[in-house]
Structure formats: C-alpha cells, structure tokens
C-alpha cells in the first residue's frame, strides 16, 4: 500500500473542501497536486485517477441524493495503490430530505447503501486498470461521515476512515438497514420481534451502549476531527446517535460555549415526537416532491391552488372543486393540530430557551426580550388558527347549524367559510411576521453557528494550534 498519500489533517481537509467545488477532472487533478505540494513541499509523484458516482451505471436510477468522488493514487516505484472515497456532505434539498427521514427520523440508510455500491464499483474499476486491489480510505465531512461510517459498519469495506464535523450513525437507521445488527438487537431486546415500533420506546441509552459494543471492532480505523462548537456535534447528543472511532475535539470558536450543553437538555420525549413525524412524513419529502411532502404533513392541497392568480380563481375553485375543498379541510383538522401542539410545547418554554441562548453568549439582552415577545405572539396566533381550522371542519357537518330550512343551511356554509377563511388568512400573515422578526434577529447567530460546521474554520483552528 505504501505511506498514506493524504497523511495529514491539512491535506485531507483541503482535498475535502476542493471536492465540494465540483471541478472538471483535469482541474481537480491539478488542484490535488497543488495542495499536496503546498502542504508537503514535495511534488506528488503518483498517477491520479478520478471517478464520479454519477458515472456509475448502477447508481443512475439512484434517488437517495448521494454524491461521491473516487481518487486513485498509484506509483509502482513507491508501492502505492490507494483509493480515496470522498462522499459529499449536505448540498441540496435531496440531502436535507434524507437528513430528516434517515438520519433524524431513523429511516433506511439509502445514501450509505449508495456509498457502498460506489466504493465496490470504484474498487473493481481501478483494479482492472492497475491489476491490484487498492487500499480503500474514506474521507468525509458532515452527512458524508454518516454515509461512509454506516457503509463501513455494515460491510467493513474501508481500511481507514477520516472525517471532520461528521453526522454520527444512528441506531434506528442501522436497525433497518443492517440485517445482522437487527438480529442482534432482537436477541437483546425480544420485544422488537413482536412490535417493531417498540424499538423507539426502548431506553435510548441502552440502545446506544449496545450499538457501540456491537460495532466496537469495526470502529478502530475511524478517526474523527470535531469542533466543540459544531451544531451537528450538538445534535449528535440526542437519542439514537452514537459516536464511533477515535475522536479529537477542537475549540474552533472560543467566543462561544457551543450548543452541545443546550442540546443535551432537550427532553427525550420531545425528540421522540419529532422523530415520529420525520418517520411518518420524511419519505414524501425524500422523494424530492416538496408539494407532496407538505400535503402529507399538513393536509393542505397546494396543487389544488397552483393556478390561482386572482380572487375570482379562488372563488371558482371553491364552487367547482367543493368535494376536494371539504377533503382538504378534514385532513387539515386531523394533521395540523398535533403539529401546532408540538410547536406549542416549545413556545411555552420560550423564556428558558432564549435565556439559554443569552447565557451562552449567542444573543444580547435586547434580542432575548424581542424573541420572547415574538414567540409569545406566535403561540397566541397559533392557538387561534387551530380553533378556526376546527370550526371550518365542524361546519362541514350540517347538523351543527341552527335549525333552519335545509336550503338555507347549505347556503350558510360559503358564508362561514369566507368569514373563517379571511380570519385564518390574516392569522397566518401575523404568524409569518412573528417568524420573520425572529429569523432576522437570529440570522447572524445562525451564520456564526453554521461557520463552526465548516472545514474552513477547522483549518484555521489547526493552523493556530501549530503556532502554539
């Protein structure tokens, strides 16, 4: 195999950063040689082969959103034959749908399976060219660590894995995707066999300990570099996620205390309810159909109003598609209140939440007061909206009306729909205004937090460490 080509943090992180640029192959090769020379002060005496996941026939119908690049270094003189699989982190909506349904919700690890397919194809492809099986090394950032690590835990296909600010594997995710692991879980927790949903009611701590023990031998070659201020590191403290391999922590943003301590205080029951939502509706979003996902989540038939340009369009739809309007209102009454109640369980703790942000130096005293006020107003408008949706639903049943001639009762429905529809419209506008004020206040905070997830901030921290 020879010495690892990308043997330092600086080399690996800069190559990861470059992979995100999606350069043409010739430019990517030039950039690799440039980075190698700048980091080692010696030229890279090796042949470089490049393969993209988009070139693999088996992945052409793939809808998981996985993207990856294989980089093959060979040199007979140096006994060098190394294949780096660089899985790409979150970059588009497909990745976010996957984050919701698979990572957070605990659904199938589709991207990890795609990463495994890509790795196997790349090994065969470059083996045919060089005549020898290469040593396979994984590089990853963010979501990509979950892909590479999950693929490795399932198949043990990597010689080494390196990652920075990675999203950790999930017990729930692997319980669905890794059959052997699921068998082990059933043996340890027999209640899963009778009721598969029982997996999500078992004590998360026990599941995490079981997963760490089960996969222990496969994690020896995993090396992680994680910022204490990384928001993904904070999220990894919630139920289901477990950390793998050797971890080196870095304080990349000494001005804040990070989100981890705050995330650890989030009630497990609340996270569990969010995961159930993600499991139930994540599949619709994962397909890349935002409209379908919104309808599944809220019952709102966006497609029904897709051609609306003026008020008379709404009136026309109302009277010509009344059965679909009725169906939509029934679904809204069924699906929106549980979501709003979940939101309310957060907004009711507004003072504690925004005080925590203030205590950890993310916001000022004035910002805290504004956020508390707008959260309170949002909650009030939220509750009024639930009540109106309930009344719209109730008026589909003519028996709830005063005793009037049937014809008059039937005519009364459009009048009440118009009245409550207008009220709901203005409530939604107010809620949007509440959210816009909060978003405006929190945008600089969000950008600062997000910066701690970047490769760039980690590289700066590593450079500072060298100077100490």
């Amino acid at each position: 195999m020879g010495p690892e080509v990308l043997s330092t943090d600086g080399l690996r992180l800069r190559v990861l950063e470059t992979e995100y640029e999606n350069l043409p192959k010739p430019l990517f090769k030039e950039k690799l040689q440039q980075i190698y020379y700048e980091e080692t002060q010696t030229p890279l005496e090796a042949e470089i082969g490049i393969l993209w996941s988009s070139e693999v026939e088996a992945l052409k119908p793939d809808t998981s959103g996985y993207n990856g690049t294989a980089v093959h270094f060979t040199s007979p003189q140096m006994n060098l034959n190394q294949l780096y699989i660089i899985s790409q982190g979150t970059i588009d909506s497909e990745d976010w749908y996957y984050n919701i349904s698979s990572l957070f919700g605990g659904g199938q690890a589709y991207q990890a399976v795609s990463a495994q397919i890509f790795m196997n194809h790349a090994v065969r492809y470059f083996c045919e060219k060089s005549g020898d099986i290469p040593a396979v090394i994984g590089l990853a950032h963010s979501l990509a660590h979950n892909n590479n690590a999950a693929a490795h835990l399932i198949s043990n296909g990597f010689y080494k894995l390196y990652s920075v600010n990675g999203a950790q594997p999930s017990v729930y995710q692997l319980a669905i995707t890794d059959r052997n692991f699921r068998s082990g879980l059933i043996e340890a927790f027999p209640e899963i066999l009778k009721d598969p949903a029982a997996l999500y009611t078992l004590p998360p701590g026990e599941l995490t300990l079981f997963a760490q023990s089960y996969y222990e031998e496969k994690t020896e070659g995993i090396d992680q570099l994680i910022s204490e201020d990384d928001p993904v590191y904070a999220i990894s403290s919630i139920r289901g996620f477990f950390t793998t391999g050797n971890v080196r922590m870095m304080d990349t943003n000494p001005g804040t205390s990070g989100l981890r301590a705050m995330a650890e205080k989030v009630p497990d029951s609340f996270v569990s309810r969010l995961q159930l939502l993600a499991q139930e509706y994540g599949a619709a979003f994962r397909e890349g159909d935002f409209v379908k996902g919104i309808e599944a989540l809220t019952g709102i038939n966006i497609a029904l109003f897709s051609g609306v340009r003026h008020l008379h369009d709404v009136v026309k739809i109302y009277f010509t598609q009344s059965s679909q309007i009725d169906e939509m209102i029934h679904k809204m009454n069924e699906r929106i209140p549980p979501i709003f109640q979940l939101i309310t369980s957060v907004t009711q703790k507004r003072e504690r939440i925004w005080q925590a942000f203030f205590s950890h130096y993310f916001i000022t005293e004035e910002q805290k007061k504004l956020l508390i006020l707008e959260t309170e107003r949002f909650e009030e408008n939220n509750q009024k909206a639930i009540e109106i949706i309930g009344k719209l639903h109730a008026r589909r049943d003519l028996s709830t009306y005063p005793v009037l001639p049937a014809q008059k009762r039937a005519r009364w429905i459009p009048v009440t729909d118009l009245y409550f529809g207008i009220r709901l419209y203005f409530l939604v506008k107010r809620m949007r205004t509440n959210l816009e004020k909060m978003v405006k206040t929190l945008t600089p905070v969000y950008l600062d937090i997000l910066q701690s997830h970047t490769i760039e901030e980690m590289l700066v921290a590593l450079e500072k460490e060298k100077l100490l």
Side-chain angles (χ1 to χ4, degrees):
M1 165 181 158
E4 288 185 32
V5 177
L6 306 181
S7 57
T8 66
D9 291 327
L11 274 168
R12 291 188 287 266
L13 265 61
R14 290 185 65 186
V15 169
L16 273 168
E17 204 169 37
T18 301
E19 198 275 341
Y20 274 115
E21 297 176 18
N22 296 317
L23 298 172
K25 288 183 181 180
L27 288 179
F28 188 39
K29 289 181 183 180
E30 287 180 19
K31 194 70 180 286
L32 290 176
Q33 291 168 329
Q34 177 188 338
I35 290 170
Y36 188 87
Y37 183 80
E38 289 174 354
E39 291 291 324
T40 67
Q41 301 303 306
T42 58
L44 177 57
E45 302 291 348
E47 291 292 323
I48 303 174
I50 307 289
L51 179 70
W52 293 322
S53 57
S54 59
E55 298 177 272
V56 177
E57 197 63 35
L59 292 176
K60 291 288 174 67
D62 179 49
T63 59
S64 71
Y66 174 79
N67 284 292
T69 300
V71 182
H72 188 223
F73 297 103
T74 53
S75 172
Q77 294 81 7
M78 300 171 62
N79 190 32
L80 187 64
N81 187 15
Q82 294 170 23
L83 176 62
Y84 284 82
I85 301 295
I86 310 173
S87 293
Q88 201 169 86
T90 302
I91 57 170
D92 54 27
S93 59
E94 285 185 343
D95 290 325
W96 280 112
Y97 300 143
Y98 182 79
N99 288 340
I100 293 169
S101 62
S102 186
L103 269 69
F104 182 74
Q108 279 276 3
Y110 293 107
Q111 287 203 12
V113 172
S114 297
Q116 181 66 45
I117 293 170
F118 179 49
M119 182 189 72
N120 291 340
H121 181 90
V123 169
R124 290 194 300 269
Y125 178 81
F126 288 112
C127 184
E128 289 175 4
K129 289 184 173 295
S130 65
D132 292 311
I133 298 175
V136 184
I137 301 170
L139 291 185
H141 166 245
S142 189
L143 162 64
H145 173 71
N146 181 277
N147 294 334
N148 281 1
H152 179 66
L153 295 179
I154 294 169
S155 67
N156 203 26
F158 288 93
Y159 166 72
K160 288 279 290 185
L161 280 178
Y162 295 101
S163 71
V164 56
N165 292 338
Q168 303 306 312
S170 162
V171 176
Y172 307 118
Q173 181 188 41
L174 289 164
I176 296 176
T177 311
D178 187 347
R179 293 180 181 178
N180 293 329
F181 177 58
R182 184 169 183 82
S183 297
L185 275 173
I186 291 172
E187 187 175 343
F189 306 97
E191 54 267 49
I192 299 173
L193 189 59
K194 297 179 182 178
D195 179 16
L199 176 68
Y200 300 94
T201 62
L202 292 169
E206 291 183 24
L207 287 174
T208 297
L209 288 173
F210 179 85
Q212 288 173 329
S213 174
Y214 181 89
Y215 288 116
E216 186 176 9
E217 291 184 5
K218 292 185 176 181
T219 64
E220 292 180 1
I222 300 176
D223 286 315
Q224 297 197 60
L225 194 57
I226 298 177
S227 166
E228 294 175 7
D229 308 290
D230 176 27
V232 173
Y233 169 63
I235 293 170
S236 68
S237 67
I238 66 175
R239 61 175 9 235
F241 292 108
F242 63 101
T243 304
T244 55
N246 304 307
V247 178
R248 181 184 171 197
M249 301 299 303
M250 295 283 292
D251 187 1
T252 62
N253 190 353
T256 65
S257 55
L259 294 170
R260 178 81 175 204
M262 294 166 59
E264 288 173 345
K265 294 177 183 177
V266 177
D268 182 67
S269 58
F270 176 74
V271 177
S272 176
R273 289 167 70 189
L274 284 179
Q275 285 181 320
L276 288 174
L277 272 177
Q279 291 162 24
E280 191 170 355
Y281 303 114
F285 282 102
R286 194 190 64 78
E287 291 173 3
D289 188 343
F290 180 76
V291 171
K292 184 178 179 181
I294 289 294
E295 184 173 358
L297 184 63
T298 65
I300 298 172
N301 188 346
I302 295 177
L304 185 63
F305 299 96
S306 60
V308 169
R309 295 292 180 270
H310 305 285
L311 179 61
H312 65 80
D313 294 327
V314 177
V315 174
K316 181 180 178 181
I317 290 170
Y318 182 86
F319 285 104
T320 60
Q321 306 289 337
S322 58
S323 60
Q324 291 190 52
I325 295 287
D326 287 349
E327 183 184 1
M328 182 183 76
I329 290 173
H330 288 314
K331 287 180 179 179
M332 287 171 63
N333 185 63
E334 175 189 333
R335 298 174 187 177
I336 289 180
I339 298 169
F340 277 13
Q341 286 162 12
L342 190 62
I343 294 171
T344 300
S345 69
V346 176
T347 57
Q348 286 177 342
K349 299 179 179 67
R350 53 187 170 272
E351 293 194 12
R352 285 168 51 191
I353 291 170
W354 298 126
Q355 177 61 38
F357 272 80
F358 173 72
S359 300
H360 288 80
Y361 309 106
F362 288 110
I363 59 176
T364 65
E365 179 71 33
E366 287 302 311
Q367 288 173 324
K368 182 186 78 171
K369 290 178 181 177
L370 183 145
L371 289 165
I372 290 173
L373 177 62
E374 293 302 327
T375 306
E376 181 180 7
R377 289 173 174 169
F378 181 87
E379 182 184 330
E380 291 171 355
N381 293 325
N382 181 7
Q383 188 57 45
K384 290 176 183 176
I386 292 177
E387 292 171 4
I388 288 175
I389 291 170
K391 288 177 179 178
L392 281 167
H393 174 258
R395 276 150 180 76
R396 290 14 253 172
D397 181 3
L398 291 179
S399 66
T400 63
Y401 283 83
V403 178
L404 294 168
Q407 191 176 16
K408 288 186 178 180
R409 282 190 289 168
R411 285 200 209 110
W412 194 249
I413 293 179
V415 176
T416 55
D417 278 355
L418 176 62
Y419 170 69
F420 287 117
I422 291 172
R423 285 188 61 190
L424 188 60
Y425 170 77
F426 283 107
L427 274 173
V428 170
K429 283 192 71 174
R430 288 178 205 159
M431 291 166 70
R432 182 182 296 173
T433 300
N434 300 144
L435 287 173
E436 286 172 352
K437 289 181 180 179
M438 288 191 280
V439 167
K440 184 178 179 180
T441 303
L442 289 171
T443 295
V445 179
Y446 165 76
L447 293 175
D448 189 42
I449 291 172
L450 196 63
Q451 185 63 24
S452 293
H453 183 59
T454 64
I455 296 172
E456 178 187 7
E457 185 169 294
M458 183 63 76
L459 281 167
V460 171
L462 288 169
E463 285 300 315
K464 287 181 180 177
E465 188 182 57
K466 288 179 184 178
L467 299 174
L468 295 177

